[in-house]
Amino acid sequence: MILEEIMQAVRECGQILLGAEPEKAVQVKDGQYNNLVTLYDKKVQNELQKQLLNIVPGAHFVGEEEDVHESIAQGTAFIVDPIDGTTNFIRGLGMNVISVAMTQDGAVEMGIVYNPYTDEMFYARRGKGAFRNGKCIHVSERPLHQGLTLFGSALYYEGLSDRTFRILRLCFDHSMDIRRFGSAAYDLCLIATGRAELFFELRLQPWDYAAGMLIVQEAGGTVTTMEGGEISPSSPSSVLAYGSNVDVSFLSGE
Ligand code: IPD
Ligand code: CA
């Protein structure tokens, strides 16, 4: 089965990360000192590309570390983030994941997110529910005032900082507390498992959110743009994800 084969490939790549010495393999991306990459990002991406295209020959492949990204509009495509949370990886925080989404004619059909440090495999197929290590998962039923808000700082887009922290302040006022973990794909899985109630980030790339978005939706949660619109996994987007009893009306007109 394709899903099992993808999970096997992802698990093997997790072993590469567990045995890595990331601090020796750091490179600065695009001259931006807050945008780091390691030789492992490329190594895992290449390995996944090889294995995924063996599983589905002829599929399109979109990987974060490529210079040019193929269109996913038609046919089958894989959208891959070999290390989501690269800064966490470099700093040894044990909070980075491998994210793989499979799309069909532009829509996400499967999502896999793997945290090798906790050996947690999150996955979903459209219409078939979401799972963590084989057990069905559900978003939280807590209202936000009893819940946690997670956020991403959209750190590569300086112009978004003021709005990010304005929204964060609102969320802080409406939640029990806030957290910033440093991996959007993992944040989405935390929403899907009901460990936190709301996540937002003002700009993410498809490889950050495509797999996690389906996992949240299949776990009974909602994922939209900040304005409440539908997200297309073919372009960068803001992302707002939340559990079944979260009222996000306090965000309208922020
Ligand atoms: C980043 C992480 C981070 C988020 C950034 C992403 P990367 O991905 O998901 O949590 O705030 O927007 O770009 O660069 O570690 O793959
Ligand atoms: Ca990422």
Side-chain angles (χ1 to χ4, degrees):
M1 210 172 109
I2 289 180
L3 178 63
E4 304 294 335
E5 289 179 61
I6 298 173
M7 289 197 291
Q8 184 51 35
V10 166
R11 208 173 255 119
E12 281 171 27
C13 287
Q15 290 302 313
I16 300 178
L17 299 184
L18 289 178
E21 292 184 291
E23 64 289 344
K24 293 187 184 154
V26 183
Q27 298 171 340
V28 173
K29 209 155 122 182
D30 308 327
Q32 285 179 282
Y33 282 87
N34 63 354
N35 196 350
L36 303 172
V37 67
T38 70
L39 299 176
Y40 294 100
D41 295 67
K42 292 175 186 159
K43 191 172 176 175
V44 169
Q45 178 169 296
N46 291 344
E47 183 59 30
L48 281 173
Q49 182 165 16
K50 193 177 84 196
Q51 294 211 32
L52 294 173
L53 296 185
N54 255 332
I55 297 168
V56 185
H60 301 284
F61 183 89
V62 178
E64 173 170 13
E65 306 309 333
E66 291 173 309
D67 294 330
V68 180
H69 296 115
E70 281 187 59
S71 163
I72 63 158
Q74 272 164 13
T76 306
F78 289 107
I79 306 178
V80 169
D81 195 338
I83 303 182
D84 185 53
T86 301
T87 303
N88 286 354
F89 175 60
I90 293 166
R91 306 300 297 269
L93 292 172
M95 184 84 76
N96 52 269
V97 297
I98 298 170
S99 175
V100 175
M102 195 179 96
T103 63
Q104 193 60 43
D105 299 332
V108 184
E109 293 299 322
M110 274 183 211
I112 294 103
V113 174
Y114 181 56
N115 180 340
Y117 307 95
T118 54
D119 193 24
E120 287 179 295
M121 182 72 76
F122 302 92
Y123 54 96
R125 269 192 301 158
R126 178 166 302 285
K128 307 279 185 204
F131 300 84
R132 173 190 164 273
N133 292 348
K135 288 212 174 90
C136 197
I137 52 175
H138 298 282
V139 294
S140 159
E141 292 180 358
R142 285 194 179 88
L144 192 57
H145 69 268
Q146 292 171 8
L148 291 172
T149 288
L150 314 181
F151 77 106
S153 50
L155 69 164
Y156 309 130
Y157 314 99
E158 235 183 278
L160 294 176
S161 306
D162 285 348
R163 185 167 173 230
T164 294
F165 288 99
R166 220 172 40 239
I167 294 174
L168 185 64
R169 175 68 216 224
L170 281 176
C171 291
F172 177 66
D173 291 342
H174 285 80
S175 315
M176 199 176 82
D177 204 354
I178 54 172
R179 299 282 186 273
R180 192 317 189 221
F181 289 127
S183 162
Y186 193 57
D187 287 331
L188 288 167
C189 293
L190 295 177
I191 299 298
T193 46
R195 293 166 179 168
E197 280 62 35
L198 182 142
F199 165 77
F200 80 90
E201 183 152 3
L202 295 188
R203 190 173 167 93
L204 286 169
Q205 298 292 335
W207 42 84
D208 301 315
Y209 69 73
M213 174 171 80
L214 183 68
I215 294 170
V216 173
Q217 289 167 335
E218 288 296 322
T222 304
V223 187
T224 65
T225 65
M226 284 311 287
E227 290 70 36
E230 199 180 319
I231 298 180
S232 154
S234 54
S235 49
S237 178
S238 60
V239 174
L240 175 66
Y242 49 94
S244 57
N245 262 322
V246 172
D247 176 0
V248 292
S249 58
F250 72 94
L251 289 172
S252 57
E254 43 69 29

